[in-house]
């Protein structure tokens, strides 16, 4: 494979910048541009060593650097790999990369270092995908679940399921190879038993996706309510900063604002919708439609009412939106003396448990909202133990495909189909699962996965 090079640090000015080079000729190319102190001979490098020196273009010093050496196969890519740490800053780092390219390296594609780690067998595809997830992780839980995946927890689980299937295949092969022993019927029932076990494991993985999704994408909350109920004030109280504009004039929050907070390690995205009210003008109409749409897409609906006022028709309409949905009602402005809202009317539509009384203005009761959300989604039960968890939609689709194929195979086994036909169906399940770890995945999919990486990774 060619030798590749790329800038691995984020663009812009920073303390240090790193140019990474990997491939058979990495050290030879480096030798052309790197003058180590004490005339150290790069050929005699042992790996896991750092050398100090200068990057030179003929007699011109480009920068003072440290180079980390990783000798094949003990490197990220399993190839000879070096990382040149220079002073950060756009010019120097780019110049060093150019020198690598001038001396025979090729510019790496996004994710190519990790792709090589995969192609050279150091990690499987699900582990490579975990690398992107770690880079993109915004919360501790998200990072932890990706690290679990990188450590191979998911791969091991997939391997366990594949091994179960392979054991069925082996038995089937035996009965195909020795047809004189009339063992077909027995094999079918045994296969069925094992396939049922496989199905159970696959379902477990499928179910883990819900928690995985929460860790990864967080919970989407649509905040709805009549203008002036206090949506912006609540959002501000939650965010503890004045991002949403609080105003006395009805209907000024025309579009939607999305803000995120992290509760117990889970990202919560709050969409503050435009006030749901009879459309006064075109602009607001768009806002209302949007509100309804947002409400449909949200994992949780939070409706906020002004507790100092009685419920009117518009409020009823909002309550109507909550029916049969995961929802929470907030009665705001409890700091005011004369509270006119009739809670019974609300209890009639949703349960008592789903009501929280607050004052967004006085910052009273905000914590109770967090507690409710946490309880509703059992956030504190989302433990990152050592069981495999699906967080990736690609993996989920594959698991579902495997479930369909397993069910089909179970049916076939029950109907005592010819054993080689059953073998074919089991092979299909194996192939599905191989797509997660990368054994049976197409080149296009691999290309697509790695194209999502950043340069230099
Ligand atoms: P929105 O239209 O739903 O976004 O409502 P705003 O957040 O803009 O609030 C409307 C008005 O109600 C503003 O004058 C706020 O200061 C006021 N308000 C909001 N929350 C409270 C509260 O808890 N108590 C009191 N007394 N006033 C509030």
């Amino acid at each position: 494979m060619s030798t590749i090079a790329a800038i691995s640090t984020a663009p812009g000015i920073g303390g240090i910048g790193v140019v990474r080079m990997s491939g058979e000729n990495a050290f030879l190319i480096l030798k052309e541009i790197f003058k180590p102190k004490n005339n150290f001979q790069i050929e005699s490098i042992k790996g896991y060593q750092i050398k100090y020196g200068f990057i030179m273009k003929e007699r011109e010093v480009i920068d003072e650097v440290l180079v980390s050496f990783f000798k094949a196969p003990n490197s990220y890519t399993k190839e000879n790999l070096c990382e040149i740490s220079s002073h950060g800053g756009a010019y120097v780092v780019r110049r060093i990369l150019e020198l690598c390219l001038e001396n025979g390296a090729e510019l790496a594609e996004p994710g190519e270092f990790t792709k090589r780690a995969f192609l050279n067998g150091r990690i499987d595809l699900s582990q490579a995908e975990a690398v992107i997830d770690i880079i993109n992780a915004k919360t501790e839980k998200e990072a932890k679940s990706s690290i679990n995946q990188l450590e191979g927890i998911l791969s091991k689980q997939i391997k366990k399921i594949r091994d179960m299937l392979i054991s069925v295949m082996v038995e089937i092969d035996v009965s195909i190879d020795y047809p004189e022993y009339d063992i077909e019927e027995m094999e079918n029932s045994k296969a069925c038993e094992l396939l049922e076990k496989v199905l159970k494991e696959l379902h477990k993985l499928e179910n883990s996706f819900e928690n995985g999704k929460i860790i990864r994408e967080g919970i989407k909350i649509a905040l709805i309510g009549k203008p002036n109920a206090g949506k912006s004030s609540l959002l501000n109280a939650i965010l503890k900063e004045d991002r949403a504009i609080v105003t006395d004039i009805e209907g000024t929050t025309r579009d939607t604002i999305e803000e995120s907070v992290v509760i117990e390690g889970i990202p919560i995205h709050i969409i503050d919708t435009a006030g749901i009210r009879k459309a006064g003008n075109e602009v607001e109409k768009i806002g209302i439609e949007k509100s309804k749409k947002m409400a449909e897409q949200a994992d949780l609906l939070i409706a906020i009412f002004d507790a100092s006022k009685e419920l009117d028709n518009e409020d009823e309409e909002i309550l109507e939106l909550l029916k049969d949905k995961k929802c929470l009602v907030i009665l705001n402005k409890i700091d005011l003396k004369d509270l006119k809202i009739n809670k019974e009317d609300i209890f009639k539509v949703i349960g008592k448990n789903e009501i929280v009384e607050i004052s967004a203005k006085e910052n009273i009761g905000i914590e109770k909202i967090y507690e409710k959300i946490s309880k509703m989604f059992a956030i504190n039960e989302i433990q990152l133990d050592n069981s495999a968890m699906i967080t990736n939609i690609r993996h989920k689709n594959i698991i579902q495909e495997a479930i369909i194929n397993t069910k089909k195979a179970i049916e076939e086994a029950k109907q005592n189909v010819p054993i080689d036909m059953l073998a074919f169906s089991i092979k299909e399940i194996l192939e599905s699962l191989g797509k997660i770890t990368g054994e049976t995945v197409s080149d296009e999919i691999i290309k697509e996965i790695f194209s999502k990486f950043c340069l230099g990774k």
Side-chain angles (χ1 to χ4, degrees), residues 28 134 149 184 272 293 408 445:
L28 289 178
I134 292 170
Q149 192 172 315
E184 199 160 285
D272 177 18
K293 248 195 205 131
K408 193 176 122 218
I445 304 253

Side-chain angles (χ1 to χ4, degrees), residues 226-234 245-248 251 253 272 332-336 358-362:
K226 249 172 33 177
N228 266 346
K231 294 178 299 299
S232 317
S233 307
L234 172 63
I245 307 149
V246 184
T247 164
D248 276 335
T253 327
D272 177 18
N332 187 31
K333 309 195 189 182
I334 55 158
D335 56 295
L336 295 175
I358 68 154
S359 164
K361 200 174 174 182
E362 304 293 331

Side-chain angles (χ1 to χ4, degrees), residues 317-328:
E317 267 180 51
I318 292 170
L319 274 174
E320 213 38 50
L321 268 180
L322 303 182
K323 265 191 183 156
D324 308 320
K325 293 242 171 69
K326 202 163 198 162
C327 66
L328 184 66

Side-chain angles (χ1 to χ4, degrees), residues 46-70:
K46 286 200 195 76
Y48 296 135
Q49 281 190 313
I50 298 174
K51 291 290 165 196
Y52 169 79
F54 294 92
I55 294 291
M56 314 275 294
K57 161 89 177 174
E58 285 145 23
R59 293 234 172 110
E60 181 198 355
V61 173
I62 305 296
D63 199 11
E64 178 191 24
V65 297
L66 286 173
V67 181
S68 316
F69 290 87
F70 304 88

